[in-house]
């Protein structure tokens, strides 16, 4: 089930909220949430839910052993075993097909392919489970004594299928004790609805525009068309992904959990280094804490460490060469910034730094979008005028004109502009005599209007993709 | 003051929290109590029905998917939400959209542009509504069943095709955009196909322009949008032994006639007849005069371009399908591949179509392989390689040949050249509309049939 479906919105979600908040004690709430999460997952993945239960069980056992064992050898062994098994599931389900397919290209004989289908969200929950075991090993957090509590952490439905990757440390206390205030709940609604709007309105509309150009035949693509397409995709992926994260964080708030932000306006970055501090922060910090620093960080072999991290980051997004290319592209860009022109860049006026960052990111999405290398080549050829192409067609101009509002709103919505305005107004009003009431009414009106808007878009949409089935 | 403020804050938080949950739950409850609609008038389609539960469907993942489709199709106040959604859509993506200046992007996979998942059964039935008690030939669509098992492949050809539709007056037009690489790659496909044929075979290629070329105005039919240029340039790159058929000039002269549908991307039978005349001229056949053919109309056809654009004006002004029966007696059988076993009878021209897609009146729609045996005894045999544009033209060919074979490469896979050799076919006509020139699914499917 995905958040942006009517079934989730009108059946599952209200049912869970009502049961959850009517239940007077925490154990009951946890049980309801766990059960709801398992139903949520099984709805989309009825078979492979077993993998999630098993992974969590193994990591639960490992946590107990590591937590109780006195000898360092035993602790290390338990950690190693659980990491191997947990990652093993990920490798088998996500990468085995890719490896065999590529080996079969080289080898004189054929290894039979397994054709396993990737279970939804496996990349997210595997990383959550891993972070738990490693944190217990590092003594950053106490081990969880109750399997079901750990399962609740791994499977909690808000972040289960599209992130953010929540750390056990961050929610361990809330699993044991939490309280939801109505103000939290209301803030959660706003956050959820902002996320839903990003997904159901912005991402879906602009995504259709992107598909119109990028998923069509590459031979009728003009230079302008190629750029419209990739810019539309640039917006789509941000609104879609950050929308999911916002919904997850919002639902978390409504249930009494405080997840960290996952996106911090990445498209206003001043450099690529800056971009990766703002984009999918839970993933980059995961790689920083569990790969980069253990490898030696910037103390030794920094270049190697960076290479490994970006290779893995790319590969994490999907078992396909284009994602590897995408990761390595960012490795190169980050190294260039670090060692070649980073200092010079900082001296430039801000506007150039924004343009530079956006340009590099847009080029990056070409690697990300085209899994098929020949289409990717054609796309680059058309974008930079190498192919036999037309500059633009009248139809492109009309399409651009028709979508000018959509694109304009997108430009505004990727910046903190709206947020700054609304929170500025909110704070000002709060100090005036009747401001609290005005604020309350406005918030309420905003929520109601946005809910109707999103519902209409969901009912009317023929295009509502789930982009993360490859993750 | 501060205390009061906190109380108000909390009060509003309570209100909005309760409102949110109650309104969602309300819609949830209503959705189970209300009576489900079965047809969406505004979308011209049947709504999803409640799926039947089975464990195999559940674990196969189809049950939950079907249930979600059913749920959103039968959502309470669906039509009202749809209207609001259409308003939002036109605000965001139709700026500057006067009647003839709106481009709507569409997804061909959603509609049946590629004609997939359709199995045809044909039946001779007594049509009770008809006063003359005339025997009616009728095509019925069974959308639920998958096409007959073709020799594997084809299921992976789910390449989606995207494009733009221009609404101009009461007509929808699919905008064509060409490029040099497109005409080159199509020409090389034709060359490859022709040279794979046995030496004595006469090979014809016909490229058909679409309605956009003649009805979309200068802007969308010149420069990169010109189909004339691309057809010309592609023809010029074809080998000398390939006979190119000039359907373009004949269509160009008759644009006042009803030669293209307004709500569908195909040409009409009248348009296809012009293509047939051009073919006869190129191949030295004597064309059958159109006035000598028995004709009739199938009413209320709202086609693929409506399904893709949802433009109201099309729904209000439906097309009709004009058909022309063959002069000679014909018997057509559909086969899944070149072994030609377990044939199924279809009508070369049907008088009624029991499906929204009335274009299925011609040769039963897109079928893997068809063999039409006519009452002619001239020994002439022709193979037509086509996508759906060929369907409307094939019936006319029956008048000139003893046997007409029709293959749709997207639906089957076998060695074409040995088939031509084994059936001692003397002529091959490859007919495509301009959009097929860049349709990778079609082109790859054809390449895989050349050994």
């Amino acid at each position: 089930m995905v958040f942006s479906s009517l079934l989730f919105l009108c059946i599952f979600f209200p049912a869970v909220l009502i049961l959850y908040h009517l239940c007077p004690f925490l154990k009951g709430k946890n049980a309801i949430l766990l059960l709801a999460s398992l139903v949520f997952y099984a709805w989309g993945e009825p078979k492979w839910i077993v993998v999630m239960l098993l992974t969590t069980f193994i990591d639960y056992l490992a946590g107990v052993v590591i937590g109780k064992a006195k000898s360092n050898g035993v602790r290390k062994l338990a950690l190693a075993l659980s990491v191997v098994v947990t990652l093993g599931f990920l490798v088998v389900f996500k990468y085995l097909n890719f490896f065999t397919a590529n080996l079969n290209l080289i080898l004189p004989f054929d290894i039979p392919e397994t054709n396993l289908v990737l279970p939804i969200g496996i990349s997210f929950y595997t990383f959550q489970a891993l972070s738990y075991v490693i944190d217990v090993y590092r003594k950053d957090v106490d081990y969880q004594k109750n399997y079901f509590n750990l399962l609740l952490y791994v499977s909690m439905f808000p972040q289960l299928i599209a992130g953010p990757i929540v750390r056990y440390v961050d929610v361990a206390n809330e699993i044991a004790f939490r309280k939801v205030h109505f103000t939290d709940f209301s803030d959660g609604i706003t956050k959820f609805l902002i996320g839903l709007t990003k997904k159901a309105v912005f991402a879906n509309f602009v995504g259709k525009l992107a598909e119109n150009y990028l998923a069509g035949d590459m031979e009728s693509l003009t230079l302008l068309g190629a750029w419209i397409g990739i810019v539309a995709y640039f917006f789509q992926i941000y609104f879609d992904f950050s929308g999911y994260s916002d919904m997850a964080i919002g639902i978390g708030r409504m249930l009494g959990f405080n997840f960290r932000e996952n996106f911090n306006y990445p498209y206003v970055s001043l450099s690529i280094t800056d971009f990766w501090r703002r984009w999918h922060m839970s993933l980059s910090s995961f790689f920083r804490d569990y790969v980069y620093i253990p490898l030696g960080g910037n103390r030794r072999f920094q270049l190697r460490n960076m290479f490994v991290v970006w290779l893995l980051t790319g590969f994490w997004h999907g078992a396909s060469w284009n994602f590897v290319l995408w990761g390595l592209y960012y490795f190169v860009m980050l190294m260039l910034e670090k060692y070649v022109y980073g200092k010079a860049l900082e001296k430039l006026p801000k506007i150039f730094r924004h343009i530079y960052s956006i340009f590099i990111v847009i080029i990056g999405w070409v690697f990300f979008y085209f899994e098929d290398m020949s289409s990717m080549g054609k796309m680059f050829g058309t974008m930079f005028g190498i192919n036999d192409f037309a500059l633009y067609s009248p139809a492109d101009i009309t399409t651009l004109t028709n979508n000018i509002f959509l694109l304009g709103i997108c430009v505004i919505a990727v910046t903190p502009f709206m947020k700054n305005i609304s929170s500025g107004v909110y704070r000002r009003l709060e100090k005036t005599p009747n401001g609290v009431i005005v604020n309350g009414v406005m918030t309420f009106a905003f929520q109601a209007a946005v809910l109707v808007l999103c519902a209409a878009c969901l009912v009317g949409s023929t295009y509502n993709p789930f982009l993360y089935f490859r993750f | 003051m501060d205390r009061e403020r906190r109380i108000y804050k909390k009060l509003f938080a309570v209100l909005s929290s309760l409102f949110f949950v109650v309104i969602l739950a309300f819609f949830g409850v209503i959705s189970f109590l209300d009576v489900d609609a079965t047809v969406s008038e505004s979308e011209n389609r049947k709504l999803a029905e409640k799926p039947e539960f089975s464990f195999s469907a559940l674990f196969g993942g189809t049950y939950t998917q079907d249930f979600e489709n059913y749920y959103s199709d039968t959502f309470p106040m669906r039509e009202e939400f749809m209207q609001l959604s259409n308003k939002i859509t036109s605000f965001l993506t139709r700026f500057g959209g006067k009647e003839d200046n709106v481009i709507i992007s569409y997804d061909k996979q959603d509609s049946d542009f590629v004609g997939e998942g359709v199995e045809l059964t044909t039946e001779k039935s007594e049509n009770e509504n008809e006063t003359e008690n005339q025997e009616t030939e009728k095509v019925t669509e069974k959308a639920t069943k998958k096409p007959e098992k073709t020799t594997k492949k084809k299921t992976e050809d789910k390449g989606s095709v995207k494009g733009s539709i221009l609404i101009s007056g009461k007509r929808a037009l699919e905008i064509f955009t060409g490029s040099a690489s497109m005409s080159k790659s199509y020409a090389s496909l034709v060359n490859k196909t022709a040279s794979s044929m046995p030496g004595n075979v006469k090979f014809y290629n016909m490229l058909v322009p679409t309605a956009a070329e003649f009805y979309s105005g200068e802007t969308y039919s010149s420069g990169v949008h010109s189909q004339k240029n691309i057809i010309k340039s592609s023809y010029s790159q074809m080998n000398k032994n390939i006979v190119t058929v000039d359907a373009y000039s004949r269509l160009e002269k008759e644009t006042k006639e009803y030669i293209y549908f307004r709500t569908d991307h195909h040409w009409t039978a009248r348009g296809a007849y012009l293509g047939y005349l051009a073919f006869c001229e190129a191949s030295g056949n004597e064309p059958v005069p159109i006035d000598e053919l028995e004709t009739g109309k199938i009413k209320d056809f709202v086609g693929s371009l409506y399904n893709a654009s949802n433009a109201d004006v099309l729904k209000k002004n439906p097309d009709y399908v004009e058909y022309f029966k063959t002069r000679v007696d014909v018997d057509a059988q559909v086969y899944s591949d070149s072994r030609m076993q377990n044939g199924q009878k279809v009508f070369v021209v049907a008088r009624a179509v029991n499906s929204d897609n009335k274009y299925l009146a011609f040769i039963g729609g897109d079928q893997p392989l068809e063999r039409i045996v006519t009452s002619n005894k001239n020994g002439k045999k022709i193979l037509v390689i086509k996508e759906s544009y060929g369907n409307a033209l094939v019936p006319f060919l029956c008048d000139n040949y003893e046997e007409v074979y029709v293959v749709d490469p997207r639906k089957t896979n076998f060695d074409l050249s040995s088939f031509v050799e084994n059936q001692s076919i003397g002529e091959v006509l490859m007919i495509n509309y301009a959009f097929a020139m860049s349709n990778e699914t079609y082109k790859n499917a054809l390449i895989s049939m050349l050994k």
Side-chain angles (χ1 to χ4, degrees), chain B residues 276 286 288 293 326-328 374 376 395-401:
Chain B
Y276 163 75
E286 183 66 37
V288 55
L293 300 176
T326 55
R327 189 166 58 174
V328 292
T374 75
N376 287 327
F396 299 114
L397 289 176
C398 295
D399 210 76
N400 303 84
Y401 292 87

Side-chain angles (χ1 to χ4, degrees), chain A residues 310-331:
Chain A
W310 289 99
L311 185 71
L312 292 177
T313 303
F315 214 32
W316 181 87
H317 287 82
S320 168
W321 285 112
N322 69 304
F323 295 113
V324 175
L325 268 180
W326 180 73
L328 294 181
Y329 166 78
Y330 275 110
F331 165 71

